[in-house]
Amino acid sequence: MRDEHKLMIQILMSKGLIGERKLKDIYKTVKERCDVTDNVSLNEFRNVINTKLKEVSMEIRQKPDEDTGEQMYALVQTMESDLGKLTTDYQPQQLELFKKTVGLIMGTPDGKASSTDILNLTEGLEKKMTKQDAEETLDQFVEEQWLKQNEGYVWMTCRSIMELERYLRQTYQPDQCWNCKDIVVKGQVCSQCEIKLHGYCADRLFKDGRRACRNCNHRWV
Ligand SMILES: [Zn+2]
Ligand SMILES: [Zn+2]
């Protein structure tokens, strides 16, 4: 593996989740710092790294952010389908809280759980955790871009979805976006026929101003 590949992997590891625009800037810097003169596109560069990462069961994956639709990139494990090896930075009870949080989120129709419900999960944990510890743990998951939290709600980032996609499919039969057919966790649901759309897919579909379900024609709220 060449220096520029190693540097890119290090950056991805330390940042967790990187948006496409930012990644392009980073790629430019990496090339400058490693004196790379050949004109390899970011995509080809990524493919080369992924080939080399195969033997350690990792790859750089991309998925749109469910909130903004921006393509995001992260280094994910390809073998692990459970949450056990999500990262080594967490205590077992923190991982248990994360797992139960994911369960709670997956059980909601629109893919976001209330922070209060999550903090109440502490009572059912095998190894007890105070609410304050749980709050700090949630903050840590947010900081490391596994979860997002806003106005009393918590949902999964696309980093979590990329890393856990196989686990989610095995455990929860997640919804498929009616528009793009990809997995959708946080999205909008038709109040009539219950099809689900990514927020950005809904924006695209309703661009013409007709806010109606394209499946059943019911008004989209
Ligand atoms: Zn979609
Ligand atoms: Zn509908």
Side-chain angles (χ1 to χ4, degrees), residues 78-139:
T78 52
M79 292 284 283
E80 204 56 47
S81 67
D82 201 348
L83 298 143
K85 287 183 188 150
L86 184 64
T87 150
T88 50
D89 303 340
Y90 298 104
Q91 306 283 328
Q93 67 266 36
Q94 291 182 306
L95 284 173
E96 197 192 348
L97 180 68
F98 183 81
K99 199 169 183 167
K100 293 204 160 161
T101 299
V102 168
L104 207 57
I105 290 170
M106 295 306 288
T108 65
D110 54 358
K112 50 183 194 172
S114 93
S115 311
T116 317
D117 288 348
I118 292 171
L119 295 180
N120 285 336
L121 289 172
T122 50
E123 285 151 30
L125 294 182
E126 272 174 42
K127 211 170 162 205
K128 289 281 169 281
M129 187 187 236
T130 65
K131 286 211 168 134
Q132 196 190 332
D133 283 346
E135 262 175 60
E136 283 167 14
T137 299
L138 267 186
D139 288 344

Side-chain angles (χ1 to χ4, degrees), residues 178 181 190 192-197 205-206 210 212-218 220:
W178 185 85
K181 312 299 177 208
C190 174
Q192 179 85 12
C193 72
E194 295 184 343
I195 62 149
K196 196 164 172 179
L197 294 170
L205 275 182
F206 306 147
R210 191 168 74 89
C213 175
R214 296 301 192 261
N215 186 46
C216 74
N217 261 324
H218 192 264
W220 196 270

